[in-house]
Amino acid sequence: MKMRMLAVAAVASLSFGTANAAVQQIFEVNGVTPGDIEDTVNDFRDALGPNNGNAPVNGNRFGRRQIDWDAAPDGVSDPNLFPGDFFNADVAPRARGIEFRATGTTDSFQLSSTAASGEPVRFGAPGQFTAFSEERLFTPVNGNTFDVVFFDPSNQTRQATTRGLGIVFTDVEFDVTTMTFFDINDEEIFTRTVLSGPSASLSFLGVVFDSFEVARVSVSVGQGFFDGSNFPVDGVVMDDFIFGEPVAVPVPGAALLFAAPLAALARRKCSA
């Protein structure tokens, strides 16, 4: 098992793009079984804070939300496509404040089926992919890149930022799977390659920032891609997504709205 958890104080050596973006901790591990990576995943959860659940309300700013895909029904699982905005909804248990958006050649997403559905589990390749939390797994379709973006859980149209994101990957055999973090100005602030290991092993990468820096994360998985029917031998899919509570980005218009009365008040005081 490969494992590294780094506490990072220096900004310059590990991030770039935004001067005040500082990585606080990096949690990364590769192991053959779920038990091999569980402690590192739990440490990442603890670093983000308590679980805020899945209601369409603002939770503890220093808490977290997570997706293990079990809240998704068969209707949005293999052989059906998975809507990228499924977990940015105004009802529980779908209110997580997160969306998945296709980039590059990716045109859609898919979740694997449960055994009870009668469809093949783990995309028909159970020997290739290991689940961290049973049963479903997640993959882009016709491409190997996608973006993760964040929204206010209480207002599904309002952009948000988070303190961090961690993802469980399976079957990372080569050092080409990456996570790249961007701020609200779409400036790249940090990138990291996911630890590789033997076939069907589990890898986890989670990054915590010292403030609410992250507006988007670009994910690139494996060297090939799922075409809707088959995976290449080096295909990579994902299980749990764990992320800090999304906090709404202040609206510039709101700031101006407050600034105008204050300026008027200041003028009245000066003239008095």
Side-chain angles (χ1 to χ4, degrees):
M1 178 178 66
K2 289 192 280 188
M3 179 173 64
R4 292 198 297 267
M5 191 281 282
L6 306 179
V8 180
V11 180
S13 62
L14 286 172
S15 61
F16 49 90
T18 300
N20 64 347
V23 173
Q24 191 175 59
Q25 289 179 303
I26 301 169
F27 298 81
E28 52 190 350
V29 63
N30 171 270
V32 175
T33 70
D36 291 336
I37 72 167
E38 186 172 15
D39 286 349
T40 303
V41 175
N42 286 338
D43 287 344
F44 176 75
R45 289 187 176 115
D46 291 343
L48 288 177
N51 188 351
N52 286 342
N54 50 43
V57 296
N58 298 121
N60 180 348
R61 286 171 61 91
F62 292 95
R64 71 177 192 275
R65 301 206 180 208
Q66 54 194 44
I67 297 173
D68 61 12
W69 307 109
D70 291 334
D74 290 341
V76 293
S77 303
D78 187 13
N80 305 302
L81 296 178
F82 174 76
D85 62 355
F86 184 86
F87 284 110
N88 184 30
D90 60 358
V91 294
R94 293 172 53 190
R96 312 292 172 92
I98 191 171
E99 287 190 9
F100 306 93
R101 295 182 175 177
T103 61
T105 61
T106 298
D107 57 26
S108 53
F109 303 100
Q110 198 163 74
L111 299 183
S112 63
S113 299
T114 62
S117 72
E119 298 291 337
V121 299
R122 302 183 195 173
F123 303 109
Q128 184 175 353
F129 303 125
T130 301
F132 176 69
S133 59
E134 297 287 355
E135 291 183 76
R136 302 188 193 279
L137 297 169
F138 170 80
T139 185
V141 179
N142 289 322
N144 61 352
T145 64
F146 64 96
D147 280 350
V148 182
V149 292
F150 302 95
F151 291 87
D152 181 350
S154 69
N155 182 343
Q156 294 71 39
T157 63
R158 188 171 180 182
Q159 193 172 6
T161 56
T162 178
R163 292 175 57 232
L165 171 68
I167 305 175
V168 175
F169 301 85
T170 180
D171 202 39
V172 179
E173 297 184 65
F174 303 95
D175 295 331
V176 295
T177 294
T178 59
M179 293 171 62
T180 303
F181 296 77
F182 295 83
D183 68 10
I184 194 63
N185 298 313
D186 212 34
E187 294 286 340
E188 183 178 333
I189 53 177
F190 185 71
T191 189
R192 189 80 167 179
T193 300
V194 178
L195 291 178
S196 60
S199 177
S201 65
L202 290 161
S203 299
F204 176 75
L205 174 60
V207 182
V208 179
F209 291 77
D210 67 354
S211 59
F212 294 85
E213 297 285 352
V214 182
R216 175 172 72 93
V217 182
S218 175
V219 183
S220 178
V221 290
Q223 298 185 94
F225 57 80
F226 180 54
D227 65 4
S229 300
N230 300 290
F231 275 96
V233 293
D234 58 349
V236 174
V237 301
M238 288 142 283
D239 204 335
D240 293 30
F241 282 62
I242 305 162
F243 50 100
E245 176 74 8
V247 173
V249 175
V251 179
L256 292 173
L257 207 60
F258 283 105
L262 289 174
L265 180 61
R267 285 195 297 271
R268 285 198 298 271
K269 285 184 176 180
C270 291
S271 60

